[in-house]
Amino acid sequence: MSSALWAELKQLAQQPLSLRQEFAADPTRAEKLQVNACGIHLDFSKNLITDGIWQKLLELAKQSQIHSKTQQMLSGDKINNTEQRAVWHMALRADATTPLVLDGVDLQPEIQACHAQMAELIGQLHQGSYKGYQGDAITDLIWIGIGGSLLGPQMACEALAPFNQSPVRIHFAGNIDGAVVSDVVKALNPATTLVFVASKSFGTEETKQNALAVRQWFIDKGADKAAIAQHFWATSSNIKAAAEFGIVAEHILPMWDWVGGRYSLWSAIGFPVALQLGMEQFQQLLKGARDMDQHFINAPLEQNMPVILALLGVWYINAKGCQAQALLPYSHYLRFLPSYVQQLDMESNGKGVDLDGKPLTDATAPVIWGDAGTNGQHAYHQLLHQSVLAVPSDFILPAKVSHELKDHHHRLAAHCFAQTQALMQGKTFEEAKAEVLASGASEAEASALAPHKVSPGNKPSNTLLLPELSPYYLGALIALYEQKVFCQGVLWNINSFDQWGVELGKQLSTPIYQVLSEQKLNSFDGSTEALIAHFKQLTSN
Ligand SMILES: O=P(O)(O)OC[C@H]1O[C@](O)(CO)[C@@H](O)[C@@H]1O
C-alpha cells in the first residue's frame, strides 16, 4: 500500500464529501454507480466516492496484479505459497466438459466420479432404499464438521430450505461443546441415522471428538462394528485417518488439497445441500458460481462486480479507516450468510504479513458482522445510524420470495431500502427541530431534543438485489464474495489461502487440557494458572 496512487487516495479520503450533495448535483449518479452480473444487481451509488475518487480506485485495480494473479490461479499455480498448494475451488464448479489439468492430470473424471457417488447415495436416501443395520430406511443425517466443513452446507441448506425435497432430516454438529452432539442425538434412533464425518484433514479435534461421541452412541444403543461401517460416511482428503476411524473405503468421498476448507462448499462438503435439493438443483448452485467466475474473469474492471466490491472495501479500510463491515441480508433464509462470510473473509485476509513474510503496515480484512433484517434494526442499527463510527454495510434483498405473504415482503423490502436511504441522507438539526416543533413542542423543547434526533448521514452502503433466493443466485452470490476476497488479497499482496493464525490456540489448548483432565502437570502464565485453578474448584463437586 505504498504507491503514489495510494498516497493520493489517502489524501482524497480526508476531503469532505456529502452524499446528499453528490446525489443532488448529479441526477445520473445512481445510474452510473450500478452494475449487473448473473442477474444480481449491485447499487453502489451510496458510497463515499466521487467520480474522481472512483476513477482513482479503478486505476488502482488497473495497476494491481488482479488480472495476472487470476490467470495464475486459473492455471493451477501454487499461489497458496506457504502450503505450496494450488487454489482451484473454481474447478469444482467448472462445466463437466471442461478438461481440468493440474500437474499433468485431468481432474475432471475424479470430480465427476465424486458427483456420481453423491448422486447414487442421494438417490438411495430419497427413495428410502439405503437401509440401516436393522433394515429400516434412513430418516436422519448427522453432519459432523467445523469451519469450512460446516458453515457452507449449513448456510446453504438454510438459505435454500424452500427447495427441500428430501425425506431425510439433516442435523449439523460442529462445536466441541458437548451440548451440541448430546442435543442432536437425543431425538434420533441410530438404526435410522446416517453419519457424515466432514473433515478435509480428518485431524480436527472438534470433529474427531464429536465423531467419537456419535460412534459411542451407536455402540451404547447396541450397534456393532459392521453396523457402524454401514452408517458412517466421510468426506476427507485423509483417507488413511478416515479408514483408521472405521470408515470403509467406499464410504469416503474425496477432498483435494487444492481446495481450501472455506472454499469447499462446491465439493462433497456440499453433500447436505445436494441431499436437500437433489443433484439437479445442486448443479444449479454450481452453475451460478461458475457464471459469476466467468463474469469475474471476463468483465472489464469498471463493470466487474467482485472488483468493485473489493475496491470499495479497501477504500474504507485503508483510506477511510473503517475497521468493520456489516452484512445485512433482508432475508430470514440468509441469516447464516454473515457467519459464512466471516470465515471466508476474515480467515482468508486477516493477515499480518505480505506474501514474502514482511510485516504489513496497513490493516487488511474488515471485522464482518451482521444478521437478518429487520431484526438488526431493533438492535444494532442505532449504532449504524448515529454513532461516530462509520460501518460500511452490504444490504442483500431477494426480490421474489417463495411464501405467500406479499404484504410482509413489501414491508421487508421497504425497510431494506429505507435503511440505506436513512444511512445515506441522515437527518439534519434543522429537520429534526422542525419535526419536534411540528409535534407541538416549544422552541426551547425542540432545541433541546433536536440534537438527539440528528442522524449525521453519509454512512456508506451497497445494495445487492437478487431476482430470488434460488440455488443459482445463491451460488452466484457466494462466488461474488469469494472473488471479492481474492481481489482484496491481491491488492494487499497477502496469501488469502492459508490460516496459520488459528494454529497457536490449538497448540496451547493441549497442555491445558492435560491439566484439566489430570493427565499431566504443566505450568502457564499467572492468569491462565489462576483460571484453571478457579475452574477446577468450581467443578470439583
Ligand atoms: O475440514 P477440517 O480439516 O476439519 O478443517 C476445518 C476448519 O479448520 C480450519 O482449518 C481452521 O482451524 C479451517 O480453515 C477449516 O475450514
Side-chain angles (χ1 to χ4, degrees):
M1 291 281 163
S2 58
S3 71
L5 189 52
W6 254 113
E8 217 180 318
L9 279 161
K10 285 182 180 176
Q11 278 278 314
L12 284 171
Q14 303 305 316
Q15 293 178 5
L17 185 162
S18 155
L19 281 174
R20 270 197 195 209
Q21 282 170 16
E22 292 295 324
F23 272 100
D26 181 1
T28 66
R29 181 178 170 92
E31 204 182 305
K32 282 196 298 205
L33 300 178
Q34 52 95 22
V35 69
N36 296 290
C38 311
I40 298 179
H41 176 79
L42 166 66
D43 174 347
F44 61 104
S45 63
K46 293 190 185 90
N47 278 289
L48 295 169
I49 50 173
T50 57
D51 275 348
I53 293 170
W54 188 234
Q55 291 313 316
K56 293 267 177 248
L57 284 165
L58 287 171
E59 188 55 38
L60 187 75
K62 267 182 220 141
Q63 286 184 11
S64 78
Q65 295 183 308
I66 290 177
H67 180 69
S68 56
K69 283 281 163 82
T70 306
Q71 291 311 315
Q72 283 178 22
M73 175 161 70
L74 290 169
S75 327
D77 287 5
K78 297 190 168 37
I79 60 168
N80 176 353
N81 66 334
T82 61
E83 296 178 301
Q84 282 305 303
R85 288 178 183 165
V87 174
W88 242 35
H89 50 275
M90 278 194 280
L92 293 166
R93 54 209 192 203
D95 191 277
T97 55
T98 312
L100 298 166
V101 182
L102 189 67
D103 294 334
V105 181
D106 184 4
L107 296 168
Q108 188 63 271
E110 277 184 51
I111 295 169
Q112 293 312 315
C114 173
H115 284 180
Q117 206 181 353
M118 285 166 68
E120 190 187 347
L121 177 58
I122 288 166
Q124 291 169 355
L125 290 169
H126 281 193
Q127 287 151 21
S129 59
Y130 191 106
K131 301 291 186 212
Y133 68 98
Q134 290 176 348
D136 305 304
I138 298 297
T139 56
D140 294 88
L141 179 135
I142 306 178
W143 184 264
I144 302 172
I146 199 162
S149 296
L150 178 128
L151 291 167
Q154 189 176 35
M155 177 274 291
C157 280
E158 200 56 41
L160 300 172
F163 292 79
N164 191 357
Q165 48 168 283
S166 168
V168 177
R169 289 177 294 262
I170 302 168
H171 312 267
F172 292 97
N175 201 334
I176 201 163
D177 183 335
V180 177
V181 157
S182 313
D183 279 359
V184 164
V185 298
K186 221 174 257 170
L188 302 183
N189 172 4
T192 56
T193 300
L194 205 71
V195 182
F196 249 94
V197 186
S199 177
K200 181 178 165 186
S201 60
F202 218 93
T204 304
E205 184 188 0
E206 290 91 335
T207 302
K208 271 175 35 191
Q209 186 74 6
N210 281 334
L212 286 170
V214 174
R215 188 172 70 178
Q216 190 57 45
W217 170 70
F218 267 77
I219 294 167
D220 294 345
K221 297 276 182 182
D224 60 14
K225 210 172 155 198
I228 288 171
Q230 202 174 333
H231 283 252
F232 273 68
W233 285 67
T235 173
S236 184
S237 60
N238 190 346
I239 314 287
K240 189 167 168 277
E244 276 164 15
F245 181 87
I247 296 173
V248 293
E250 314 81 74
H251 285 190
I252 304 175
L253 298 175
M255 281 278 280
W256 297 273
D257 75 352
W258 41 265
V259 187
R262 53 193 173 272
Y263 298 88
S264 63
L265 172 65
W266 324 102
S267 70
I269 291 292
F271 181 82
V273 192
L275 172 64
Q276 180 175 293
L277 304 178
M279 246 358 231
E280 211 175 295
Q281 287 298 316
F282 183 68
Q283 290 291 353
Q284 282 301 305
L285 181 86
L286 302 189
K287 179 159 180 4
R290 170 160 79 243
D291 287 355
M292 185 56 80
D293 292 342
Q294 287 308 314
H295 163 81
F296 169 58
I297 293 163
N298 298 314
L301 293 173
E302 63 279 7
Q303 286 162 30
N304 197 309
M305 205 181 274
V307 172
I308 291 170
L309 289 183
L311 290 173
L312 291 166
V314 297
W315 167 244
Y316 289 119
I317 295 169
N318 301 116
K320 302 291 281 182
C322 304
Q323 304 291 300
Q325 196 203 342
L327 199 59
L328 307 169
Y330 272 60
S331 163
H332 172 72
Y333 292 124
L334 279 177
R335 66 191 180 281
F336 292 158
L337 186 71
S339 19
Y340 174 78
V341 176
Q342 239 167 27
Q343 187 203 15
L344 172 63
D345 205 327
M346 295 168 75
E347 200 175 65
S348 293
N349 285 344
K351 302 290 165 61
V353 295
D354 70 11
L355 277 170
D356 301 319
K358 294 204 194 74
L360 297 172
T361 47
D362 285 299
T364 53
V367 177
I368 303 267
W369 59 276
D371 194 0
T374 60
N375 294 347
Q377 290 178 208
H378 302 273
Y380 46 76
H381 281 227
Q382 163 63 34
L383 179 147
L384 296 180
H385 290 291
Q386 282 192 313
S387 124
V388 291
L389 289 178
V391 182
S393 310
D394 282 3
F395 287 78
I396 302 171
L397 176 71
K400 280 195 272 178
V401 284
S402 50
H403 62 76
E404 296 296 315
L405 300 174
K406 288 278 170 288
D407 193 47
H408 271 69
H409 191 52
H410 288 154
R411 287 171 190 274
L412 178 79
H415 278 293
C416 175
F417 300 146
Q419 287 297 308
T420 68
Q421 196 187 13
L423 287 166
M424 181 271 284
Q425 69 184 28
K427 187 186 284 180
T428 63
F429 177 82
E430 290 70 30
E431 287 165 347
K433 190 172 165 190
E435 199 178 90
V436 184
L437 284 171
S439 72
S442 68
E443 176 70 28
E445 284 167 341
S447 295
L449 187 54
H452 299 276
K453 298 192 109 193
V454 168
S455 272
N458 247 8
K459 308 276 189 173
S461 69
N462 290 309
T463 305
L464 286 148
L465 266 180
L466 272 53
E468 61 183 319
L469 190 51
S470 65
Y472 177 86
Y473 293 116
L474 181 69
L477 181 70
I478 299 169
L480 167 64
Y481 278 104
E482 281 185 357
Q483 304 297 16
K484 179 213 94 153
V485 166
F486 168 76
C487 291
Q488 291 187 326
V490 175
L491 290 164
W492 288 317
N493 193 34
I494 57 178
N495 181 352
S496 301
F497 302 102
D498 59 10
Q499 57 285 317
W500 297 106
V502 300
E503 294 306 319
L504 178 60
K506 289 185 194 173
Q507 285 161 5
L508 295 184
S509 76
T510 304
I512 298 175
Y513 167 73
Q514 287 167 340
V515 172
L516 294 178
S517 57
E518 299 191 335
Q519 293 171 16
K520 223 170 151 189
L521 288 175
N522 291 313
S523 55
F524 310 98
D525 63 275
S527 163
T528 307
E529 293 252 353
L531 285 167
I532 291 172
H534 201 68
F535 176 85
K536 284 190 136 192
Q537 196 189 350
L538 289 170
T539 52
S540 63
N541 46 36

